[in-house]
Amino acid sequence: MSVVRGSLPTRNMNYARFLTAVSAARKPSPIRMLTELQQRSPPSLISLAGGAPNPDTFPFESAVIKVKNGPAVTFSQATMKRALQYSASNGIPELLTWMKNLQKDLHNPPTAAYSPEKGQMDMCVTTGSQEGLCKVFEMLVNPGDDVLLDSPTYPGTLAALQPLGCNIVNVPSDQHGMIPAALKEVLSRWDPSDSRRPKVLYTIPNGGNPTGASMTAQRKKEVYELARIYDMLIIEDDPYYFLQFDKPWAPTFLSMDVDGRIIRTDSFSKILSSGLRIGFVTGPKPLVERVVLHIQASTMHTSTFTQLMVSQVLHSWGQEGFLQQIDRVIEFYRKQRDAMVSSAHKWLTGLAKWHAPSAGMFLWLELTGIRDTRQLIVEKALEKEVLLVPGDVFLINSDEPCPYVRAAFSLATPEQIDEAFRRLANLIREAA
Ligand code: PMP
């Protein structure tokens, strides 16, 4: 994967500048530190420290989980004891190492070779990428801060950001995501040395939820350069990275990160399991450490059981097997996407407008002649037995009327999608 390097000289980041008072005040838990130390020690160590329960008292003994494309995941009695026990807050070491290698191989981040203080690439496991995002926002966003993002956006992001009392500033976007010229225009409200300038920019670079938009390499490069000028961090929320239908995949922000200003969230939800809740935060060590301190104080760690289960599968597949799994998933969603786009052409031509997504699970439809889709969906869609998400839930201000709806092509069969669009067409005709 090619790496796009910035043109400004590398900057020494002052990470303390970005932290909220809450995040800066977090201290390592002494007990957690002991637990982690104990888990790295040889078995001859006799520990009376820590408060771990005795797993011999637990009812679960062993497990064999069949895997579709590879050997079964087997939890011997010893592994099961480990799976049922507390573990390190940043994630179990074998999963972290596997993922760090993958991240380096896929993105070749310049920061991988940096010293820790200079923003060396680090990672932690999170309980889905949602946990990572929520904790990253809490680490960086103060009440009254201006936070930049391209709306419409993922409601989970708005749910995590809005209660922090920040001012969410929309950066206009199109079918290729955030528009760099528009970002430049938005940023021109501030001087690059103004202490009140935005510190954080958030975007979903691939298969955006809800728009399906994916950013080109050139756009990312321009956005990264603007982030450098204004010394902003970029949160690259990329759960649909592995659901890009066309190769080669565009380089990520992480791959361009000469300064150590990218915080990337990855997710296994769309490719291995959403219910296991496995995600990752990748970013400069001083910031990932803050996220881990928050984890220490909240969930303590992502389930050891699910981490071990995923780690075993990854180790038995190797990177090649993992990428084969990704290809199978992509093939599935590509067919689903094609089915949805072809049904849209068949039933919705003249009644709606859309762009075929090159990644993700969603088609974003602008309904012709409908000012606000909320009423249509809430009052009439169920009558016609078709359900879509009204577009306003993805807006910064959900009171604004919105002519869009989001259709997911992940779960319904091509036949159901076709029938759903036939029903939607009738609904639009009656309402317009
Ligand atoms: N970001 C985006 C853009 C998403 O669409 C989702 C899931 N819908 C998430 C983050 C959270 O995913 P998870 O917590 O399951 O990894």
Side-chain angles (χ1 to χ4, degrees):
M1 220 147 283
S2 67
V3 175
V4 184
R5 308 274 169 186
S7 53
L8 291 177
T10 312
R11 197 193 249 267
N12 268 340
M13 299 287 291
N14 169 13
Y15 292 110
R17 174 175 102 71
F18 294 97
L19 301 182
T20 59
V22 172
S23 184
R26 294 194 183 283
K27 293 204 171 67
S29 138
I31 299 262
R32 287 261 81 207
M33 274 158 56
L34 279 176
T35 309
E36 287 164 25
L37 186 73
Q38 180 187 338
Q39 284 170 352
R40 286 199 306 267
S41 308
S44 52
L45 175 94
I46 301 174
S47 172
L48 304 180
N54 192 321
D56 289 340
T57 63
F58 296 154
F60 311 101
E61 199 171 304
S62 62
V64 177
I65 301 164
K66 286 192 196 156
V67 175
K68 284 182 198 153
N69 301 290
V73 169
T74 332
F75 281 12
S76 63
Q77 286 187 4
T79 314
M80 186 58 109
K81 281 185 189 167
R82 197 179 150 212
L84 300 177
Q85 191 55 280
Y86 290 126
S87 57
S89 291
N90 59 343
I92 61 167
E94 60 266 53
L95 179 58
L96 267 178
T97 307
W98 201 96
M99 277 307 293
K100 279 186 187 167
N101 288 335
L102 182 75
Q103 259 353 25
K104 287 179 193 166
D105 291 347
L106 290 177
H107 310 291
N108 188 19
T111 47
Y114 291 7
S115 65
E117 333 68 73
K118 274 204 78 187
Q120 182 183 62
M121 182 201 105
D122 197 9
M123 286 188 84
C124 69
V125 179
T126 52
T127 303
S129 56
Q130 181 71 27
E131 185 198 13
L133 284 172
C134 197
K135 290 190 157 68
V136 165
F137 292 140
E138 189 261 17
M139 167 174 73
L140 303 173
V141 179
N142 278 305
D145 280 358
D146 289 304
V147 175
L148 305 175
L149 56 76
D150 42 342
S151 165
T153 193
Y154 167 53
T157 293
L158 296 174
L161 265 179
Q162 276 165 335
L164 300 176
C166 57
N167 175 32
I168 302 179
V169 181
N170 179 33
V171 181
S173 58
D174 60 17
Q175 73 271 27
H176 303 297
M178 189 176 279
I179 303 168
L183 174 62
K184 195 172 178 186
E185 170 73 29
V186 169
L187 281 168
S188 67
R189 291 183 213 163
W190 295 273
D191 187 86
S193 59
D194 184 343
S195 62
R196 286 155 309 167
R197 71 192 184 278
K199 290 185 299 185
V200 175
L201 178 145
Y202 165 93
T203 195
I204 307 164
N206 291 300
N209 182 359
T211 61
S214 294
M215 283 179 92
T216 59
Q218 183 56 30
R219 282 203 179 179
K220 285 184 200 166
K221 193 171 177 285
E222 289 173 34
V223 168
Y224 189 81
E225 286 306 314
L226 287 165
R228 301 188 78 192
I229 293 169
Y230 283 83
D231 192 18
M232 293 187 297
L233 299 174
I234 298 178
I235 302 172
E236 177 176 43
D237 178 18
D238 211 356
Y240 305 102
Y241 174 75
F242 292 112
L243 293 193
Q244 295 182 71
F245 306 127
D246 305 312
K247 287 185 183 156
W249 293 342
T252 56
F253 280 112
L254 185 68
S255 73
M256 306 173 184
D257 192 15
V258 280
D259 292 338
R261 61 177 71 255
I262 300 300
I263 303 176
R264 180 180 164 82
T265 50
D266 279 280
S267 174
F268 277 176
S269 287
K270 327 292 168 181
I271 50 173
L272 292 187
S273 154
S274 39
L276 290 179
R277 310 302 300 128
I278 300 278
F280 303 90
V281 171
T282 306
K285 198 174 179 63
L287 297 180
V288 173
E289 274 173 359
R290 293 279 121 196
V291 172
V292 174
L293 289 182
H294 193 171
I295 295 174
Q296 277 194 3
S298 59
T299 53
M300 288 203 222
H301 59 79
T302 295
S303 158
T304 321
F305 189 101
T306 58
Q307 288 190 68
L308 274 170
M309 183 174 158
V310 165
S311 174
Q312 267 200 35
V313 172
L314 295 177
H315 280 92
S316 76
W317 279 342
Q319 247 185 43
E320 206 187 319
F322 172 73
L323 295 172
Q324 282 165 4
Q325 160 70 9
I326 303 301
D327 284 341
R328 284 189 290 271
V329 178
I330 290 177
E331 266 331 289
F332 173 82
Y333 285 109
R334 186 206 309 282
K335 286 201 189 104
Q336 294 286 105
R337 187 264 322 251
D338 290 349
M340 183 168 271
V341 169
S342 108
S343 292
H345 278 294
K346 181 169 151 196
W347 297 110
L348 301 174
T349 303
L351 296 174
K353 286 188 217 142
W354 61 88
H355 293 283
S358 59
M361 310 190 317
F362 306 111
L363 187 68
W364 184 234
L365 295 160
E366 182 182 4
L367 307 190
T368 313
I370 312 270
R371 198 173 152 266
D372 188 17
T373 52
R374 167 154 297 272
Q375 205 187 0
L376 182 81
I377 298 297
V378 173
E379 289 175 14
K380 306 216 178 82
L382 280 184
E383 251 172 56
K384 297 268 180 214
E385 297 190 296
V386 56
L387 194 59
L388 299 109
V389 186
D392 61 359
V393 309
F394 305 98
L395 300 181
I396 299 167
N397 175 5
S398 59
D399 295 336
E400 273 172 44
C402 180
Y404 287 85
V405 288
R406 188 192 76 178
F409 48 84
S410 49
L411 273 180
T413 62
E415 295 70 34
Q416 288 172 324
I417 290 173
D418 198 60
E419 175 58 19
F421 278 3
R422 191 188 66 78
R423 294 178 191 177
L424 177 65
N426 284 336
L427 191 66
I428 302 170
R429 263 192 218 100
E430 281 176 25

